[in-house]
Structure formats: structure tokens, C-alpha cells
Amino acid sequence: VQLQASGGGSVQTGGSLRLSCAASGSGFSINAMGWYRQAPGKQRELVAAIPSGGSPNYADSVKGRFTISRDNAKNTVYLQMNRLKPEDTAIYFCYADGFDYYRDYVYYWGQGTEVTVSS
């Protein structure tokens, strides 16, 4: 299973970006998909997640500004980021969890995509 993320870039404060992450492969039943981020010198933190058929949840720092959504037919998760702030600057990693063919719990990471917000 591979997760391919895209959509990062550089914007000014108040701008918007949309991240996408597509999962490909077989033998994997996806449950939740979401995004973490890691800023320089900081720990990786959960930004937003959306379980299959469930309600999304967000970090307090992004509530009201970010929206996570998914297209189950395409195994793709999106993160619409509005009103970006310099503190949103980080490398964003998508993830997907679920169960493999043997019903073992599995967790996959995509490659990071960099988001830079300048003041």
C-alpha cells in the first residue's frame, strides 16, 4: 500500500492550500485517514482525521480553518486549509489505518509535503 501526498507549497498569511493524499494497493481495508504535521524542532501532531463513515476531528489549533474530507471511491483524503498562519508551517504527513487481508491492524504513512506560510 502506498500513500501519495500532494498540494503543499508556500503562501502568505491568510492564504489557502489544499492537500490531497491517495492510497493505492490491494489487500487493505481502510478505516481512518488523516493528516499529521511536524514543524521544525517540534513533535509530530495530529491535525485532522476522518474515520470511514464517521465524523472528522480536528486539532484545536485548526478548528474553523481546516476541513478534512475523503472520497472513498478514490481512497483519497483531502485537507482544505484556509486562513493559514505562520504557525501552520510544517511538513504535513497523511496516514491511513485499517486491516490487511489477514485482519491485522495496519498503519501507513505517506511522504511529507511541505507547507510554508510567510507573514
Side-chain angles (χ1 to χ4, degrees):
V1 175
Q2 290 189 329
L3 300 180
Q4 182 67 45
S6 61
S10 297
V11 296
Q12 292 188 327
T13 297
S16 298
L17 285 172
R18 188 188 193 215
L19 306 182
S20 300
C21 177
S24 61
S26 60
F28 174 45
S29 175
I30 298 176
N31 177 28
M33 301 185 78
W35 296 89
Y36 279 76
R37 68 185 179 187
Q38 187 164 20
K42 295 188 176 181
Q43 290 187 332
R44 191 173 295 192
E45 63 172 350
L46 178 66
V47 177
I50 182 167
S52 177
S55 299
N57 60 83
Y58 299 92
D60 287 343
S61 59
V62 307
K63 283 180 181 176
R65 300 188 297 121
F66 291 10
T67 302
I68 189 170
S69 61
R70 62 189 285 176
D71 183 334
N72 291 329
K74 297 180 179 179
N75 288 333
T76 299
V77 63
Y78 306 96
L79 186 68
Q80 178 65 44
M81 305 185 294
N82 297 328
R83 292 186 282 137
L84 282 160
K85 304 176 180 180
E87 51 263 44
D88 295 317
T89 295
I91 297 176
Y92 286 68
F93 299 89
C94 63
Y95 81 92
D97 70 13
F99 297 91
D100 65 14
Y101 177 81
Y102 301 99
R103 299 299 294 171
D104 290 328
Y105 176 75
V106 290
Y107 203 98
Y108 295 102
W109 289 101
Q111 91 286 6
T113 185
E114 190 167 3
V115 172
T116 302
V117 185
S118 57
S119 57

